[in-house]
Amino acid sequence: MSTYKIISTDLDGTLFNEHGVISPENEAAIKELHERGVLVVPNSGRCLSEMPAIITDHALFRYLIQSDGAVVYDKQTEKRLTRCLPKAVSDAVFEILKDHPASVSVRQDGFCYVRDTAHNDADYIKNGVSRGWRDHFYKTATPTDFSMFDAPDTAIEMFCVFFADMQEREACIQRLLALGTVQVASTDANNIEVFSVHAGKGKALLALAESLGIDKKDTIGVGDSTNDSDMILRAGTGLVMENACPELKALGDTVICHHRDHAMRYILEHYIK
């Protein structure tokens, strides 16, 4: 009999189908998993304000892991366990980003912020931001002049940065990693996500499991992008979607179904029942 107690799942390309919603098959599986005492925990690079209502309002999702593991949020108690970038580190990241032409968004306290002077199609297109991402920022982001991040108590969850020039992207990544205090991952070929070395989807999953008295071996992590790497490597069982990037497939224990074929139902049938 299965002893799994937590399934930590990425959203796009994993929990969501090709239409960006939870399929009826996955919904039914989530309900049965709940009845069997298995928590399904959405685990995303998005901050709270970016998560759709089908996640934040879902009755069976009590815990949400956000901003690449910088935040574990308990909807019932409204408590947040955070692993944010300290002010000195975020300042160093800002200094590096200033040297590279890019579109920068910042996640802090559950909100997504973009630079007000660059919050337009012309600047987004110039920096390689796709139509889908542009629509996402127009819908979920708050334009600001970024002066708010000068405050001494600034604690940034994550940076999300887009580049039109891949050489600039690679040079920026190398400078960021040289700091020794951040991790760099991506969800798209031309973007990077920058977050604390103490964060990460997997570290957050295990912190949640420990707080609930659940052993690591009783956790499953499932995803499709390189920002899921920490979760795939640290979970008791790391499952990778068929539609995942090759880098992630090389890290997982098993490659499972395509996201259009209902990952939660697949896991229920193959790992829980």
Side-chain angles (χ1 to χ4, degrees):
M1 182 181 236
S2 165
T3 62
Y4 290 116
K5 297 298 181 186
I6 297 181
I7 299 171
S8 174
T9 176
D10 179 51
L11 301 184
D12 298 299
T14 305
L15 179 63
F16 293 162
N17 63 16
E18 66 271 30
H19 304 296
V21 299
I22 302 173
S23 68
E25 292 84 356
N26 273 341
E27 282 286 7
I30 291 166
K31 183 175 184 293
E32 184 169 344
L33 288 163
H34 177 76
E35 292 168 350
R36 290 172 174 266
V38 181
L39 288 170
V40 177
V41 179
N43 195 333
S44 177
R46 307 184 198 200
C47 66
L48 186 61
S49 71
E50 296 175 281
M51 287 194 175
I54 55 174
I55 297 297
T56 57
D57 296 345
H58 200 294
L60 301 183
F61 296 154
R62 174 173 174 177
Y63 301 99
L64 305 177
I65 297 175
Q66 308 153 32
S67 297
D68 285 335
V71 179
V72 181
Y73 178 58
D74 182 345
K75 286 168 34 179
Q76 184 171 306
T77 65
E78 298 187 345
K79 289 183 178 178
R80 287 163 40 100
L81 172 65
T82 62
R83 290 181 170 87
C84 296
L85 293 163
K87 179 70 163 60
V89 176
S90 62
D91 283 351
V93 172
F94 273 122
E95 284 300 312
I96 290 172
L97 294 178
K98 282 196 301 189
D99 295 337
H100 299 273
S103 176
V104 180
S105 62
V106 181
R107 277 69 169 175
Q108 183 183 41
D109 293 333
F111 292 92
C112 174
Y113 298 95
V114 293
R115 194 178 294 280
D116 50 8
T117 55
H119 188 50
N120 57 75
D121 269 1
D123 278 272
Y124 282 138
I125 292 170
K126 180 180 69 175
N127 291 305
V129 182
S130 69
R131 176 79 263 175
W133 273 103
R134 297 199 302 273
D135 290 344
H136 175 76
F137 289 134
Y138 291 138
K139 181 179 178 181
T140 67
T142 301
T144 174
D145 64 4
F146 280 15
S147 63
M148 60 187 293
F149 303 124
D150 294 333
D153 59 347
T154 294
I156 288 173
E157 296 171 11
M158 188 187 82
F159 293 82
C160 180
V161 189
F162 287 86
F163 300 83
D165 186 318
M166 294 301 96
Q167 290 184 324
E168 289 285 350
R169 177 179 180 271
E170 183 58 30
C172 185
I173 289 173
Q174 295 308 314
R175 291 182 65 192
L176 290 166
L177 292 177
L179 294 175
T181 51
V182 302
Q183 301 178 66
V184 178
S186 65
T187 53
D188 289 66
N190 67 328
N191 92 322
I192 60 173
E193 296 177 348
V194 186
F195 47 98
S196 170
V197 290
H198 303 296
K201 290 186 173 185
K203 292 187 181 78
L205 165 60
L206 296 187
L208 173 60
E210 182 179 5
S211 73
L212 299 174
I214 296 172
D215 194 278
K216 169 183 174 175
K217 67 178 177 57
D218 298 326
T219 65
I220 290 175
V222 56
D224 72 305
S225 300
T226 62
N227 71 343
D228 299 315
S229 300
D230 186 61
M231 173 174 63
I232 297 301
L233 288 170
R234 293 180 186 275
T237 299
L239 305 179
V240 180
M241 302 303 295
E242 181 186 324
N243 49 279
C245 59
E247 297 89 339
L248 197 67
K249 288 181 177 179
L251 301 178
D253 294 310
T254 306
V255 175
I256 61 168
C257 63
H258 195 280
H259 72 109
R260 62 173 172 258
D261 296 322
H262 324 297
M264 293 303 104
R265 185 179 71 177
Y266 184 99
I267 294 171
L268 172 65
E269 293 176 348
H270 292 81
Y271 289 87
I272 306 300
K273 286 188 175 180

